[in-house]
Amino acid sequence: MRKFNIRKVLDGLTASSSSASQQQQQQQHPPGNREPEIQETLQSEHFQLCKTVRHGFPYQPSALAFDPVQKILAVGTQTGALRLFGRPGVECYCQHDSGAAVIQLQFLINEGALVSALADDTLHLWNLRQKRPAILHSLKFCRERVTFCHLPFQSKWLYVGTERGNIHIVNVESFTLSGYVIMWNKAIELSSKSHPGPVVHISDNPMDEGKAIHSVAWHHEGKQFICSHSDGTLTIWNVRSPAKPVQTITPHGKQLKDGKKPEPCKPILKVEFKTTRSGEPFIILSGGLSYDTVGRRPCLTVMHGKSTAVLEMDYSIVDFLTLCETPYPNDFQEPYAVVVLLEKDLVLIDLAQNGYPIFENPYPLSIHESPVTCCEYFADCPVDLIPALYSVGARQKRQGYSKKEWPINGGNWGLGAQSYPEIIITGHADGSVKFWDASAITLQVLYKLKTSKVFEKSRNKDDRPNTDIVDEDPYAIQIISWCPESRMLCIAGVSAHVIIYRFSKQEVITEVIPMLEVRLLYEINDVETPEGEQPPPLPTPVGGSNPQPIPPQSHPSTSSSSSDGLRDNVPCLKVKNSPLKQSPGYQTELVIQLVWVGGEPPQQITSLAVNSSYGLVVFGNCNGIAMVDYLQKAVLLNLGTIELYGSNDPYRREPRSPRKSRQPSGAGLCDISEGTVVPEDRCKSPTSGSSSPHNSDDEQKMNNFIEKVKTKSRKFSKMVANDIAKMSRKLSLPTDLKPDLDVKDNSFSRSRSSSVTSIDKESREAISALHFCETFTRKTDSSPSPCLWVGTTLGTVLVIALNLPPGGEQRLLQPVIVSPSGTILRLKGAILRMAFLDTTGCLIPPAYEPWREYNVPEEKDEKEKLKKRRPVSVSPSSSQEISENQYAVICSEKQAKVISLPTQNCAYKQNITETSFVLRGDIVALSNSICLACFCANGHIMTFSLPSLRPLLDVYYLPLTNMRIARTFCFTNNGQALYLVSPTEIQRLTYSQETCENLQEMLGELFTPVETPEAPNRGFFKGLFGGGAQSLDREELFGESSSGKASRSLAQHIPGPGGIEGVKGAASGVVGELARARLALDERGQKLGDLEERTAAMLSSAESFSKHAHEIMLKYKDKKWYQF
């Protein structure tokens, strides 16, 4: 039963009644008179921060274990993490506090418990009978280093091998050390003088469990065992003739003539020996290849009868386990699969099918297939999106998998309280984009898009002169802009390229890929000449009275038709010129590339936005901004950042900055003539950039600006390259894409403060935020109109007005007119995010055009066009009255402001951080309201109410350890957030109190009561003479009564926080009570079940013994003793 919070209901009622009264108030008081009061429903008690789930492949895995009855797989890592996998959708992440590497894992089979051995010589007992497993006991070895552990099935004695070669015994019930120790010098011949080294393997003889023998793998009958060696050989030994092996095999050795020994091979790291009732046993091993196989990939070898199969792996093998039908080591094993843990993958091989095919992996372990370079998270998407993406993604699946169901199927799903669709999009270093279904704390890949398909692949290294901007991964994704409603997708890549995609369910063949080239440059000192043909021979300040220092020039500038061999006017990547087959899914609409200018590569794109209603895409970098009409395939705007200010640059650059000030002659002006697009005329803009006059109220400023643009020559002006430009290029390279970069190297020089900013930041003002909206562009506006809000790294917000033609066919024929409005707002720190609220404080989403299938037959298409589609805006602003005002919410790296529109008065302001800076800020919906959520570089997560910016939450979450977290952290609606916690894993968290409360219900159950399979029938004589009551023997041997207590200095027992206490901490209220009750019932039921099973087993054993004894008595009743 879900908790019902009456306070939230009352909050909702007061909010709705107060918003109605506000509307009445507002009609009485026009916005110019006073700010209307908006009732805010969010309070600090609505917020609580906790981690929810971790997805992806365990980073740096080091250990593997499997419970064959519960069907649960456990993986340990080098950072002390523990990941547990059950049926698809049942996953769990735990962490050892010490962070030491996990060297081994051992399940207490069908007991709901797990032992982990760590590199810091500690053993931990985990309770898996609760949704969030916890440690029940720990044991810290003080004098010896732990190297190997072994826990026999249904035994309470755990063998612990050490570096000194000794074996200690631990009672897993009390987690205490037995006084019994197998010392190395007693376990081997007394005549051996040399130390045998550390214990590398321990296992029981399956038939006589009284002996602990150092070995690798036993035959199930216990008469033979097999060892693997460092020279690539396997030796099979008979227990009764220990002097020499029965057989020596070199699986990969070349058999030499004359009976010589085969050549030595690489070490066989692990071997398993598994028997089958019908047929030959399986010998499965890793390693052992011959030394002449240089460059060969790691292999797993499966030997079955006379056949030997060598299975190549993509990564090195960490460990493998054979999955068998029985948990009993003394029965025919009947192996059916091998689970192979690789360095970066988990592979499951089907042993029952010919050719040993692999199972299709249902876990989301391919996040890192190519390194993740950026991430976006969307909660509460349109409901038809996930089915649409799934249907196109289903066609991409590989063939040739095993026909069987995935065999790791333990545990049970949680009760999903959240029903809204969630989508995560990841961008990768190889240019691929993956869409994931993240609903109800699960993760499943839906669809993969390869953006590199539109480019020519370079055949060899000499053929890659243009990709100098990056040494590797020229297609890496840097920014993703996605409109879920219209399904329009736009990506910006590391080679200064932008690709716009449209979603379609039909396959199409594109004869010519639509392409635009944009020359976006930052001219440090460009003096205009009448024709704009020749550059000045030396940089000279324009207007002699200007005292600003000019950066020294180290490279002479060259013309675009350069004879010096300097690259000019070419993009970094070459678009394919052959027809492109586009499968259903995302299909290329337009490719835009920035080009080289005078030997300088284009600067990487720093911000990107797409709007389906306006048909526009806009992007910016540290040189300037460009806007493209993707419907008409035309460049509308191509401006240097300084040009956006018009003739009034508010930044009078201080002498400390090497950046020059705005000069009246127009130095630094960028080309915005239509000729700058591409050499061919096919892509010309019908509007000649912004040269069409706009009847605005910004008289002199705009006229001067437009005049300047008109007089600008259509030919490319010359760029003066200098040290700062070179430096800025180096600093802007995507070094942060490398996963192991230290923070100190990058030091987030993007912002911090003026004292630590890099030369790059000082010398260039980059575009850092872009937002399309329908709002008031100027103070004098009486009604909202489409516009683009632009934020820069120097904390400026500029507004560009958009004059759109009518819908339908007119939209494709008439030009879009774009003009800076003159509105300028200032904040401290680089602008990160902008959003707009209506007069009641509700979020106004950008206008969008609903998705429709574009690739439909002609007749339907004609009908569609006649409908004269109009942009859809689901916001209250579309029906706004003239008297209604709006609020702009602007978040920068240092502060947040709420600006009242159209008056442009600052209604509210909040300094978010003084000593640090905000890495990510998002305006998100939560509990029928909205808030601003921020993640700071100092590890704090904060939320603020809107519009008043009251602090609601401030929690120190994690110290920022690397660029990866900074690049991938994102908030979304309904209190959800995520980041890439390691190169292979996504960590999700929530800042919503309601989600925290429901989390216990949503998590899956790892432990489910399952009956242990029946033990194999050992036969009467084996039972009579073969070492009967083993548990009694062990108790006698290892128990305190015979072996005494272990030395206290040998190991220290530490009680853990686990058990039912762990559940108490993990939940509160009704949910917690239910969990505790269920847990108690489970445990009681389990204990009763065990008792019943044991009683039944004892009864049948007693009956069997009685029967056999009676038969023997009858047989020998009349015989004398000497006749036996």
Side-chain angles (χ1 to χ4, degrees):
M1 189 182 133
R2 283 186 66 184
K3 284 182 76 177
F4 192 72
N5 195 329
I6 193 74
R7 188 185 68 244
K8 289 178 188 172
V9 178
L10 292 171
D11 281 353
L13 288 170
T14 54
S16 57
S17 63
S18 63
S19 65
S21 65
Q22 270 159 31
Q23 284 175 351
Q24 291 166 2
Q25 271 180 15
Q26 269 213 300
Q27 282 154 11
Q28 292 159 12
H29 306 279
N33 297 358
R34 67 183 195 87
E35 294 298 338
E37 283 295 317
I38 291 175
Q39 184 72 33
E40 293 174 357
T41 56
L42 283 180
Q43 303 299 326
S44 55
E45 53 264 30
H46 289 108
F47 294 87
Q48 185 185 336
L49 196 69
C50 69
K51 291 179 181 177
T52 52
V53 280
R54 184 174 290 200
H55 302 297
F57 182 76
Y59 183 55
Q60 296 178 324
S62 55
L64 181 67
F66 182 67
D67 185 325
V69 180
Q70 285 288 320
K71 299 272 199 295
I72 296 283
L73 186 77
V75 176
T77 76
Q78 290 175 31
T79 53
L82 191 58
R83 291 284 295 281
L84 296 143
F85 298 92
R87 66 180 59 200
V90 176
E91 278 184 48
C92 181
Y93 157 74
C94 318
Q95 177 69 44
H96 293 92
D97 291 338
S98 66
V102 179
I103 55 172
Q104 210 182 344
L105 295 170
Q106 288 270 313
F107 273 101
L108 278 69
I109 294 172
N110 206 23
E111 297 285 341
L114 174 77
V115 173
S116 58
L118 270 56
D120 63 356
D121 311 309
T122 53
L123 301 179
H124 302 277
L125 179 66
W126 290 85
N127 176 17
L128 308 183
R129 295 190 177 211
Q130 52 195 57
K131 289 191 170 185
R132 292 204 149 172
I135 292 171
L136 288 168
H137 302 281
S138 299
L139 198 61
K140 167 81 176 159
F141 280 76
C142 305
R143 294 193 309 212
E144 294 192 51
R145 308 230 51 187
V146 174
T147 55
F148 196 89
C149 297
H150 172 63
L151 179 66
F153 178 45
Q154 291 182 327
S155 165
K156 72 173 187 179
W157 302 104
L158 171 75
Y159 301 108
V160 181
T162 69
E163 205 168 41
R164 291 186 186 174
N166 304 326
I167 296 177
H168 298 277
I169 319 290
V170 174
N171 180 336
V172 289
E173 288 175 359
S174 59
F175 227 60
T176 51
L177 211 54
S178 159
Y180 191 92
V181 185
I182 303 171
M183 305 300 281
W184 71 269
N185 51 2
K186 291 180 184 171
I188 61 172
E189 285 185 34
L190 293 172
S191 59
S192 174
K193 291 175 185 174
S194 60
H195 190 281
V199 175
V200 293
H201 188 89
I202 309 168
S203 53
D204 265 17
N205 181 324
M207 296 308 283
D208 183 358
E209 295 166 21
K211 300 173 193 165
I213 299 175
H214 311 315
S215 79
V216 174
W218 284 93
H219 186 281
H220 84 272
E221 289 177 343
K223 293 172 185 173
Q224 285 187 334
F225 60 88
I226 189 167
C227 290
S228 70
H229 302 276
S230 57
D231 62 352
T233 58
L234 296 173
T235 52
I236 298 176
W237 298 78
N238 242 339
V239 175
R240 297 198 174 173
S241 51
K244 63 171 188 176
V246 180
Q247 190 182 359
T248 302
I249 311 164
T250 311
H252 295 288
K254 290 177 183 168
Q255 296 296 326
L256 303 173
K257 292 174 185 174
D258 310 327
K260 287 182 184 174
K261 281 186 177 179
E263 288 178 359
C265 294
K266 292 176 187 173
I268 294 175
L269 302 171
K270 182 174 180 179
V271 65
E272 293 211 338
F273 194 10
K274 301 296 178 188
T275 52
T276 58
R277 277 180 208 283
S278 53
E280 301 280 345
F282 281 87
I283 297 174
I284 300 159
L285 56 114
S286 63
L289 295 177
S290 65
Y291 278 102
D292 59 6
T293 54
V294 180
R296 190 163 179 186
R297 293 193 293 181
C299 293
L300 187 83
T301 305
V302 180
M303 299 168 72
H304 185 224
K306 290 181 181 175
S307 77
T308 299
V310 180
L311 309 173
E312 285 197 342
M313 302 290 155
D314 290 335
Y315 307 100
S316 53
I317 296 171
V318 175
D319 198 0
F320 72 87
L321 290 172
T322 312
L323 308 190
C324 301
E325 295 291 351
T326 176
Y328 293 95
N330 59 349
D331 194 7
F332 284 100
Q333 299 297 288
E334 303 295 347
Y336 59 88
V338 183
V339 58
V340 190
L341 178 64
L342 305 176
E343 209 171 38
K344 293 183 179 177
D345 202 2
L346 183 76
V347 175
L348 208 61
I349 297 157
D350 185 353
L351 291 178
Q353 244 174 283
N354 286 339
Y356 304 132
I358 64 168
F359 287 88
E360 185 176 5
N361 196 323
Y363 305 135
L365 301 183
S366 63
I367 291 168
H368 64 290
E369 190 177 16
S370 168
V372 175
T373 51
C374 66
C375 225
E376 291 298 335
Y377 189 10
F378 301 85
D380 222 357
C381 303
V383 287
D384 57 346
L385 252 180
I386 288 174
L389 288 163
Y390 181 80
S391 67
V392 293
R395 307 178 198 204
Q396 299 177 326
K397 292 207 172 163
R398 277 176 50 198
Q399 301 302 311
Y401 288 114
S402 166
K403 306 268 188 300
K404 291 188 183 165
E405 288 284 312
W406 182 254
I408 302 164
N409 55 13
N412 279 322
W413 293 306
L415 304 167
Q418 292 172 339
S419 54
Y420 50 86
E422 297 174 73
I423 290 176
I424 294 170
I425 307 180
T426 52
H428 300 263
D430 64 354
S432 59
V433 175
K434 286 184 183 171
F435 291 78
W436 304 82
D437 175 5
S439 312
I441 68 170
T442 61
L443 194 71
Q444 182 187 4
V445 70
L446 291 169
Y447 172 71
K448 179 180 172 181
L449 167 68
K450 291 179 181 171
T451 66
S452 59
K453 277 200 306 189
V454 298
F455 299 112
E456 297 281 6
K457 298 280 191 298
S458 52
R459 296 280 175 270
N460 53 33
K461 285 189 178 172
D462 305 332
D463 193 28
R464 297 178 53 192
N466 289 2
T467 58
D468 296 8
I469 188 168
V470 276
D471 301 329
E472 51 197 35
D473 301 328
Y475 311 114
I477 308 292
Q478 277 191 310
I479 310 173
I480 295 167
S481 177
W482 188 51
C483 172
E485 288 80 12
S486 66
R487 304 185 190 172
M488 288 301 293
L489 172 72
C490 197
I491 64 99
V494 80
S495 297
H497 62 280
V498 171
I499 310 176
I500 300 152
Y501 290 92
R502 205 184 275 284
F503 185 84
S504 172
K505 293 181 179 178
Q506 310 291 323
E507 183 178 291
V508 291
I509 292 175
T510 307
E511 294 299 328
V512 180
I513 298 166
M515 182 185 79
L516 287 177
E517 288 175 0
V518 178
R519 187 180 172 91
L520 192 59
L521 63 143
Y522 174 90
E523 295 175 81
I524 284 133
N525 185 32
D526 178 20
V527 183
E528 282 188 35
T529 54
E531 292 87 25
E533 290 278 339
Q534 291 299 320
L538 285 168
T540 51
V542 184
S545 60
N546 180 18
Q548 269 316 93
I550 303 289
Q553 309 300 312
S554 61
H555 298 285
S557 62
T558 53
S559 67
S560 51
S561 54
S562 141
S563 55
D564 304 8
L566 279 179
R567 198 168 305 135
D568 193 82
N569 228 34
V570 285
C572 294
L573 302 170
K574 191 181 173 193
V575 174
K576 281 183 182 169
N577 50 16
S578 53
L580 179 71
K581 179 183 165 189
Q582 306 212 64
S583 305
Y586 274 103
Q587 297 170 353
T588 308
E589 174 82 2
L590 178 64
V591 179
I592 307 163
Q593 293 197 82
L594 296 183
V595 295
W596 286 64
V597 179
E600 281 296 312
Q603 296 295 323
Q604 286 175 8
I605 289 158
T606 53
S607 56
L608 174 72
V610 65
N611 187 287
S612 58
S613 173
Y614 307 154
L616 302 177
V617 66
V618 63
F619 56 92
N621 62 11
C622 63
N623 282 343
I625 185 171
M627 192 189 293
V628 169
D629 178 345
Y630 65 77
L631 298 176
Q632 295 188 21
K633 314 282 187 281
V635 176
L636 301 174
L637 188 70
N638 178 1
L639 283 178
T641 316
I642 301 173
E643 282 306 313
L644 278 172
Y645 292 105
S647 58
N648 246 0
D649 183 359
Y651 294 99
R652 292 294 161 204
R653 320 286 169 178
E654 295 303 317
R656 71 180 169 78
S657 162
R659 183 170 164 67
K660 66 172 184 167
S661 68
R662 185 82 190 127
Q663 291 167 3
S665 72
L669 186 70
C670 284
D671 295 304
I672 36 171
S673 61
E674 69 258 33
T676 60
V677 182
V678 272
E680 297 89 24
D681 285 339
R682 68 187 173 97
C683 296
K684 280 188 182 174
S685 157
T687 60
S688 300
S690 15
S691 56
S692 355
H694 187 277
N695 299 328
S696 74
D697 301 328
D698 287 8
E699 303 89 2
Q700 200 54 41
K701 267 195 293 186
M702 273 311 299
N703 290 341
N704 289 350
F705 172 68
I706 291 165
E707 280 308 309
K708 210 174 290 170
V709 172
K710 281 182 177 173
T711 55
K712 187 74 177 162
S713 159
R714 281 170 194 254
K715 297 200 173 178
F716 296 124
S717 58
K718 316 305 174 271
M719 174 164 184
V720 182
N722 59 38
D723 285 337
I724 288 180
K726 285 276 184 197
M727 177 82 72
S728 74
R729 180 186 149 228
K730 282 174 188 159
L731 287 168
S732 68
L733 287 188
T735 47
D736 59 316
L737 298 187
K738 314 283 184 290
D740 298 317
L741 256 185
D742 193 24
V743 189
K744 297 184 191 91
D745 299 346
N746 310 65
S747 69
F748 294 107
S749 59
R750 229 161 36 75
S751 51
R752 293 280 162 103
S753 67
S754 56
S755 58
V756 285
T757 45
S758 65
I759 300 172
D760 173 46
K761 199 209 100 177
E762 279 295 352
S763 61
R764 303 277 178 105
E765 181 179 6
I767 307 294
S768 57
L770 295 162
H771 189 86
F772 284 107
C773 55
E774 208 160 306
T775 187
F776 302 92
T777 51
R778 301 172 186 82
K779 289 184 181 183
T780 52
D781 283 4
S782 57
S783 62
S785 57
C787 55
L788 170 72
W789 284 52
V790 180
T792 76
T793 49
L794 292 185
T796 308
V797 176
L798 302 135
V799 184
I800 295 174
L802 310 174
N803 196 345
L804 298 160
E809 287 198 19
Q810 290 299 305
R811 173 65 185 84
L812 300 175
L813 300 173
Q814 291 184 28
V816 176
I817 298 166
V818 180
S819 56
S821 67
T823 295
I824 294 178
L825 303 167
R826 303 273 310 273
L827 272 81
K828 203 198 305 181
I831 305 297
L832 298 178
R833 188 79 60 218
M834 295 175 279
F836 293 84
L837 315 180
D838 66 12
T839 189
T840 65
C842 295
L843 192 66
I844 304 172
Y848 63 85
E849 182 170 296
W851 177 79
R852 65 184 175 94
E853 180 59 74
Y854 262 69
N855 302 320
V856 287
E858 284 300 314
E859 308 82 48
K860 285 187 190 171
D861 205 27
E862 290 303 316
K863 286 178 195 167
E864 287 290 333
K865 278 186 179 175
L866 292 173
K867 288 183 184 172
K868 302 250 179 178
R869 304 179 67 84
R870 287 302 302 151
V872 175
S873 177
V874 286
S875 68
S877 69
S878 55
S879 61
Q880 274 195 337
E881 305 210 354
I882 291 171
S883 63
E884 288 197 358
N885 65 344
Q886 288 185 1
Y887 295 97
V889 181
I890 305 168
C891 175
S892 81
E893 289 178 325
K894 292 285 185 182
Q895 60 180 194
K897 280 187 180 179
V898 173
I899 311 285
S900 183
L901 298 176
T903 59
Q904 295 179 16
N905 296 331
C906 178
Y908 303 98
K909 176 179 161 185
Q910 177 68 250
N911 287 326
I912 299 169
T913 173
E914 292 296 332
T915 53
S916 184
F917 55 98
V918 179
L919 286 165
R920 177 81 184 209
D922 285 296
I923 289 99
V924 290
L926 177 72
S927 304
N928 298 320
S929 188
I930 52 166
C931 63
L932 167 66
C934 299
F935 173 56
C936 282
N938 60 12
H940 281 254
I941 287 177
M942 296 183 267
T943 62
F944 301 91
S945 71
L946 286 174
S948 70
L949 295 173
R950 272 183 306 116
L952 296 169
L953 174 79
D954 184 352
V955 177
Y956 178 66
Y957 175 66
L958 82 161
L960 183 71
T961 48
N962 54 34
M963 286 295 289
R964 187 192 328 105
I965 295 173
R967 203 176 55 243
T968 55
F969 199 103
C970 44
F971 296 97
T972 186
N973 297 330
N974 300 336
Q976 306 292 340
L978 66 79
Y979 62 96
L980 213 67
V981 68
S982 74
T984 63
E985 297 163 290
I986 286 174
Q987 177 67 54
R988 287 165 72 177
L989 55 145
T990 182
Y991 47 96
S992 153
Q993 166 68 31
E994 190 182 3
T995 308
C996 287
E997 283 179 3
N998 293 330
L999 185 61
Q1000 192 69 15
E1001 271 181 61
M1002 293 165 67
L1003 293 171
E1005 300 264 6
L1006 281 168
F1007 180 80
T1008 48
V1010 180
E1011 237 178 78
T1012 305
E1014 203 174 310
N1017 188 0
R1018 303 183 70 183
F1020 170 66
F1021 281 103
K1022 276 185 184 174
L1024 196 64
F1025 304 116
Q1030 303 113 13
S1031 53
L1032 180 67
D1033 290 352
R1034 297 239 182 140
E1035 191 62 56
E1036 277 183 10
L1037 193 62
F1038 304 147
E1040 207 173 291
S1041 54
S1042 59
S1043 60
K1045 286 188 177 180
S1047 162
R1048 283 195 176 182
S1049 62
L1050 195 60
Q1052 177 193 356
H1053 177 262
I1054 306 157
I1060 293 184
E1061 292 306 310
V1063 178
K1064 282 180 187 166
S1068 59
V1070 181
V1071 178
E1073 292 299 335
L1074 279 171
R1076 286 193 282 280
R1078 193 187 303 161
L1079 191 75
L1081 279 170
D1082 275 357
E1083 289 188 348
R1084 211 160 114 212
Q1086 186 68 18
K1087 282 173 185 166
L1088 286 169
D1090 286 355
L1091 188 65
E1092 199 177 332
E1093 281 169 24
R1094 281 182 197 158
T1095 312
M1098 283 168 70
L1099 192 64
S1100 72
S1101 174
E1103 279 176 5
S1104 163
F1105 185 76
S1106 157
K1107 185 180 164 191
H1108 284 295
H1110 187 66
E1111 283 173 5
I1112 288 171
M1113 185 268 290
L1114 291 174
K1115 191 173 178 182
Y1116 297 112
K1117 188 171 66 170
D1118 299 325
K1119 293 191 178 182
K1120 304 291 182 200
W1121 63 269
Y1122 49 82
Q1123 292 175 309
F1124 283 164

